[in-house]
Structure formats: C-alpha cells, structure tokens
C-alpha cells in the first residue's frame, strides 16, 4: 500500500504485535499501513514461546499448522539446582487442559511468517522512522510525521514500536509529562541464543526443556525443531556507568560473551557437562538489559492506541511478551472492526459534523479497549515481576529459596495447570472470522 492511499489503521512498528494486527486487518478488509524504522526486516531475539492464549487466534488466521511443522512442542522440563536434579515436570497436560500445547519456534522464522500474513512489502513501509504525530479533533485524520520530512494520515494510529516507543513518548510529551518511557531497569541482564541441532541429542530429547538454578544466576533452555536449543541466561548486570544501564541490546555480543558468564556451568544436554558445548553451536546470540513497567499508562489517548511492549513492558521469565502482543492485537482488531462496521458513507454537506461524531465514537472505542486490556496487562506485569522473584529465589524475608524449591521440586502438575488457568485459559479470537475449536476444555 502506498502512503498516499486512504488508510484506516496506521501501525507504527513492524514487530510481532504490529504485524499481527496488520494480518488481522487484512483478513477483515480494514486498510492498514505499517511504518517500520528499520531499512530491512531484522527481528531482534533468538526464539519465541507461543502458549495456548496466543495459539488459538494464530490457528484462526491460518498460522498454527506452520507453527506445528516448524516449531517444537514442549513436553517436559528437567529442573536442576546446580547439578542436583529436582524433578521432571510433565507439560503434556497443557494440551488437555487448554486445547493447545506450548511451542518454541525460531523468532526470525515466525516473524517472517507474520510478515507474509500481513502482505509483506504491500503493507510494510521500511525506513520510515516516526518523529511526531498530531491528533487534532478538528481533522478527520491523525497526522504522523516521519524523519524524512514526509507525513502519513490515517483514521487510527497504533503504536506497536516496542519498549522504547516513540509513539508513547510523543503522547507523554503532548500531555505535559516527561517524554521518557515509564520503564525501569530490573538490575538483570539476559543472554540468549539459538543453536544449530545439538549432535549428541536424540529422539528422546525432543520436546525437553531445562530450568537450571545456579547460586548466582539461572539458565533456561527451550527445545526447538531438530533438537536445536533456544537458551536464556539471567544474572545480575554490571551497573557501572549509566550508558550500560540505559542500553537495551548489547552491541557486538558473541558466543564468547555468553561463555564468559555461563560456559563452565552444568547443563544435562552438554556432551561434556559444561554449557559451553551448547553455546558453541549457536547460530545467533544476543544480550540485553531487562526493563519492566514502572508506571502503567493508559493504552489509548484520543485516536491513538498502544499495544505490546509499547504499552506494557514486562520481564520475560514466563515467555509472555509475544503472546500478550498477540492478545492486544486481537482485542484491538475486534474493537476497530466494530467501529468501522458502523461507519457508513456520509453526505458531503454534513461531512464535518459526521466526522466529528465518528471521531468521538472512535475515541470511546479505543478507550474501552484500553480499559479492557489494561486490566489484564497490569495483572501480567505484576505476575511477571513476582514470578521473576520466585524463579530467582529472591522473594522477601528470606523465604525465596524455600518457596522456589517447594514450587519447582514438589508442586504437582495439576497445581501448575490450576495456577495457569487465568493465563492460558484466556484465548481471544477475531469475532468476525470463522471460529476454531475451543470448547470442552478442563479449565472451562
């Protein structure tokens, strides 16, 4: 789509949330354009976790079979404290409780499939950095200004531009508050990577994940197709210097960077027992400081809405960042479809009055979306923060290590499933598309 065409929905950011919304808009015949600041499609990260709360709508738009073919179902998790095995946690029951399992898939591949579902180059305008937006109620459109001096207008603007969202900063500045994102540094750094197939692993290792709790850090490996491994290490960050704290993604990260932190640590899949064996098979690695929401904002203002990390950044300990962006996109698409389906052709002589009335209705529709999604997003941010404390054994009053062992070593599988009902059992779908199976699940 050319920027000069009539645009109903303008999406800032070509990440998972933005492309998911674009893909749904395409299904609903809502015209949209995605502005992506990068000069080429370069997704950040190594792997991605897709849980039941996202998989149902992904099946609805036709991507689930591809995820099954190119991803890896999580069947069990081996849990170790240093070299001592605590247990094997059976995760196959996720499917019987919630209708879908948990899948791990290479982030680049999944991003590419979403790009195709959004109609790729026909929908996404690369090298389009946004510097400002103007939402004048007297104007029928929101105006978005680009760094190259051009501008684009649309009836609705959606900020899906990540944790350091330009959209969010502009809205904050226009509201007369600090234009910086309302995020805070957690004091932790994540080092992650995606490997080639591990040669010493066989069929019995497919679908097996690992959680390892070391004395000063933790390490998680998720199973991917062909016994590839997606790993995530978490440890306290070096906070010397503001520049180190403020950076999200570290520049020039190599396998040596990861090995310096984790190379000599025990891992049950490493042929020598040391994690270096797995790191050295990496096809890509990344390191980033971890930020989370400090002051939860509204998810809409006027005719501008936010989704994903632009609205609610959270720690990645339970792998819900992408799933929540997909939930946001689904809910927002339903709101937009409801609005656009009620907007008819207006007579020329009362067009201004009609457009103002429509604008008012649109503001209310987006406000309702913000209230609905904001409540769940706040709960997820809080859950993610508390789960991180459990996972790292840092709950207050000195009870962290004990609580962690009780949960990870002794909590039965049904207890895990019961505790995940509110998360995995919520499975939004697109109202105006054909439905998918979802009845008669245990959680219902």
């Amino acid at each position: 789509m050319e920027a000069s065409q009539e645009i109903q929905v303008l999406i800032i950011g070509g990440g998972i949330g933005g492309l998911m919304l674009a893909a749904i808009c395409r299904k609903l015949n809502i015209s949209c354009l995605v502005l992506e600041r990068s000069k080429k499609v370069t997704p950040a990260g190594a792997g991605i976790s897709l849980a039941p709360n996202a998989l149902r709508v992904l099946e609805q738009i036709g991507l689930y079979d591809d995820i099954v073919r190119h991803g890896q179902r999580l069947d069990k998790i081996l849990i170790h404290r240093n070299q001592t095995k605590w247990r094997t946690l059976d995760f196959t029951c996720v499917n019987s409780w919630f209708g879908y399992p948990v899948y791990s898939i290479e982030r680049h591949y999944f991003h590419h499939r979403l790009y195709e579902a959004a109609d790729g180059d026909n929908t996404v305008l690369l090298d389009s950095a946004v510097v400002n937006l103007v939402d004048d109620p007297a104007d029928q459109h929101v105006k978005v200004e680009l760094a190259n001096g051009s501008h684009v207008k649309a009836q609705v603007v959606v900020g899906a531009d990540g944790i350091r969202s330009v959209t969010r900063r502009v809205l904050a500045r226009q509201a007369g508050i600090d234009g910086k994102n309302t995020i805070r540094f957690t004091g932790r750094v994540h080092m992650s990577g995606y490997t080639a197939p591990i040669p010493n692993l066989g069929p019995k290792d497919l679908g097996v994940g690992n959680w390892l709790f070391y004395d000063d850090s933790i390490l998680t490996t998720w199973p991917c197709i062909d016994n590839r491994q997606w790993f995530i290490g978490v440890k306290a960050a070096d906070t010397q210097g503001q520049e180190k704290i403020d950076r999200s993604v570290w520049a020039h990260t190599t396998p040596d960077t990861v090995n310096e932190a984790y190379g000599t640590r025990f891992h049950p899949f490493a042929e020598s027992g040391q994690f270096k064996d797995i790191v050295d098979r990496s096809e890509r690695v990344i390191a980033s400081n971890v930020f989370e929401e400090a002051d939860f904002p509204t998810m809409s203002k006027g005719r501008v809405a936010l989704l994903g990390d632009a609205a609610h950044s959270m720690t990645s300990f339970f792998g819900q960042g992408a799933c929540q962006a997909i939930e946001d996109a689904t809910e927002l698409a339903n709101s937009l479809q409801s609005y656009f389906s009620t907007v008819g052709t207006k007579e020329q002589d009362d067009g201004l009055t009609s457009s103002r009335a429509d604008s008012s209705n649109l503001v209310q529709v987006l406000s309702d979306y913000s209230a609905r999604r904001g409540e769940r997003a706040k709960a997820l941010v809080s859950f993610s923060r508390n789960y991180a404390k459990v996972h790292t054994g840092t709950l207050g009053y000195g009870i962290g290590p004990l609580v962690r062992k009780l949960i990870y070593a002794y909590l039965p599988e049904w207890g895990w499933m019961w505790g995940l009902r509110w998360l995995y059992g919520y499975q939004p779908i697109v109202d105006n598309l054909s439905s998918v199976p979802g009845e008669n699940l245990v959680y219902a």
Side-chain angles (χ1 to χ4, degrees), residues 331-347:
E331 297 271 18
L332 181 54
N334 284 333
S335 296
L336 294 173
Q337 171 63 19
S338 175
Y339 168 74
F340 286 122
S341 66
T342 63
V343 178
T345 303
K346 306 301 180 182
E347 295 295 330

Side-chain angles (χ1 to χ4, degrees), residues 114-174:
L114 274 181
Y115 188 81
E116 290 180 336
D119 204 21
D121 294 344
N122 294 320
T123 299
V124 182
L125 195 60
L126 298 173
D127 195 16
S128 300
V130 172
V131 295
N132 193 31
L133 58 90
V134 180
D135 183 8
D136 184 351
D139 195 331
Q140 295 185 40
H141 300 90
V142 183
K143 179 181 177 181
V144 174
E145 299 170 353
L146 306 183
N148 62 12
S150 65
H151 69 267
V152 187
K153 288 188 173 184
Q155 296 181 50
V156 184
V157 171
V158 178
D161 45 345
I163 191 170
R164 298 184 182 276
S165 168
V166 172
T167 313
R168 183 167 162 178
R169 288 201 297 269
V170 170
L171 292 178
R173 184 177 67 242
Q174 292 176 351

Side-chain angles (χ1 to χ4, degrees), residues 213-322:
F213 302 120
Y214 307 126
D215 291 334
D216 61 350
S217 60
I218 61 176
L219 180 68
T220 301
T221 56
W222 297 109
C224 296
I225 190 171
D226 299 330
N227 270 323
R228 298 170 182 268
Q229 301 291 302
W230 163 36
F231 61 81
I232 308 170
V234 183
K235 63 180 299 181
D238 176 9
T239 57
Q240 296 298 313
Q242 189 64 35
E243 181 181 350
K244 288 186 178 181
I245 295 175
D246 286 344
R247 65 183 177 180
S248 291
V249 178
W250 294 17
H252 312 303
T253 302
T254 68
D256 288 341
T257 310
V258 181
N259 278 328
E260 185 178 344
Y262 299 99
T264 60
R265 300 305 176 95
F266 166 76
H267 194 286
F269 282 3
E271 192 167 19
S272 70
Q274 294 191 342
F275 188 55
K276 183 178 185 298
D277 295 348
I278 294 174
V279 176
D280 288 346
R281 299 286 298 176
S282 297
E283 294 180 342
R284 71 180 63 88
V285 294
I286 186 171
S288 58
N289 289 343
V290 184
F291 295 82
E292 66 181 358
E293 203 65 55
D295 181 19
F296 200 90
T298 178
M299 291 178 66
S300 74
K301 185 178 185 300
R303 293 173 290 178
V304 181
L306 300 173
L307 65 75
D309 281 347
H312 46 68
S313 57
M314 64 185 72
T315 66
S316 60
F317 280 92
F318 213 77
Q320 275 288 308

Side-chain angles (χ1 to χ4, degrees), residues 4 27 39 51 117 151 200 212 239 265 276 289 313 328 346 350 365 441:
S4 59
K27 292 279 188 180
K39 294 183 179 180
H151 69 267
N200 57 288
L212 298 111
T239 57
R265 300 305 176 95
K276 183 178 185 298
N289 289 343
S313 57
D328 287 345
K346 306 301 180 182
D350 68 345
V365 165
L441 304 181

